[in-house]
Amino acid sequence: MRPANELRPVTVRRDVPSVAPAVLWEQGETAILATATIEKVVPPWFPEDKPGGWVTANYLMMPGSTPGRKRWPRTGHTDSRGTEIERLIGRSLRAAVNMDQIGPHTITIDCQVLRADGGTRTAAICGGFLALSDALKAVGTDSAIRGELAAVSVGVVEGKPVLDLDYPLDSNADVDMNIVRNAAGQYVEIQGSAEAAAGFGSEHLTAMLDLAVLGCNELIEIQRKHR
């Protein structure tokens, strides 16, 4: 059994068929394909007198990503859960970039879940950052990157804090959190809730944050090796 303070094994691949910059991020049995599409336009609502561009994200679980077929959304490109997740991904990735330095571009990070075994949103952020970095290199504005950015899940399972929840751990967690941190050691976003408990105390919160710091630091080191 994996120690409670240990990440699942991470593999990063770029040898995937794609016209756009693409990264396959595998964390345990979870696999995310993140592609970065660059358009030389800004969104219609973007202020005309504002320099720079925009970074946004999409998220979709593919039909074969779960043991039972994941149905395509009836309308649009994702479901309500996916909409919430892609907003998280977009907010997180924008925090890693000096937006006024990327030129008049819109960069869309499309995150496709090829295989889901817990932590898909955090893995999408990790892989999405590398795809975004590749896209900015392609347009000569990679200096706009403030630094690496990573995310990881933590939780309390059977009373014990655990890092990087796979599906069995996540489905049995009393508390579930997703933490996004940058290379400067700052928190970018914290999501958490008592999934199957009346609540949780400060001692568990502190323990989970400590695990998240450990995990994000390790993930940032992995990203640095692959930039």
Side-chain angles (χ1 to χ4, degrees):
M1 181 177 294
R2 174 168 54 99
N5 63 348
E6 186 176 291
L7 289 172
R8 291 175 289 173
V10 174
T11 301
V12 178
R13 293 173 49 193
R14 287 186 172 86
D15 57 335
V16 293
S18 175
V19 174
V23 171
L24 178 60
W25 182 281
E26 296 179 89
Q27 193 160 341
E29 293 301 311
T30 288
I32 308 291
L33 176 62
T35 58
T37 303
I38 311 164
E39 298 174 280
K40 293 183 179 180
V41 295
V42 294
W45 50 262
F46 204 80
E48 293 183 3
D49 58 347
K50 185 176 180 180
W54 190 244
V55 174
T56 187
N58 292 318
Y59 171 95
L60 178 65
M61 293 183 68
M62 302 302 289
S65 63
T66 57
R69 181 179 183 272
K70 177 71 176 178
R71 291 184 179 274
W72 288 107
R74 291 185 178 181
T75 59
H77 66 276
T78 192
D79 53 22
S80 58
R81 174 181 174 274
T83 298
E84 182 267 324
I85 291 174
E86 64 189 20
R87 288 174 178 170
L88 167 67
I89 298 168
R91 287 193 304 269
S92 299
L93 295 179
R94 286 192 291 273
V97 179
N98 288 308
M99 302 294 289
D100 60 350
Q101 296 180 16
I102 68 173
H105 299 102
T106 296
I107 303 176
T108 303
I109 309 300
D110 291 299
C111 300
Q112 300 175 59
V113 181
L114 305 183
R115 189 171 60 229
D117 186 37
T120 59
R121 72 186 68 193
T122 53
I125 290 171
C126 292
F129 170 80
L130 289 179
L132 173 61
S133 180
D134 288 351
L136 290 174
K137 286 180 183 177
V139 295
T141 58
D142 52 311
S143 60
I145 293 283
R146 292 191 172 111
E148 291 81 10
L149 176 133
V152 74
S153 63
V154 289
V156 176
V157 182
E158 296 181 352
K160 297 180 180 180
V162 180
L163 174 66
D164 195 10
L165 306 181
D166 57 20
Y167 180 76
L169 289 172
D170 183 62
S171 60
N172 287 286
D174 294 324
V175 182
D176 181 20
M177 297 186 73
N178 299 294
I179 312 293
V180 187
R181 277 174 61 90
N182 62 26
Q186 298 170 313
Y187 293 101
V188 174
E189 184 140 354
I190 299 174
Q191 296 181 334
S193 63
E195 295 283 351
F200 57 97
S202 58
E203 68 282 359
H204 274 150
L205 176 60
T206 299
M208 286 187 290
L209 291 177
D210 288 345
L211 283 176
V213 170
L214 175 67
C216 285
N217 286 345
E218 291 184 16
L219 291 166
I220 284 170
E221 286 302 315
I222 292 170
Q223 289 174 326
R224 285 175 176 162
K225 292 177 182 178
H226 290 277
R227 281 188 66 190

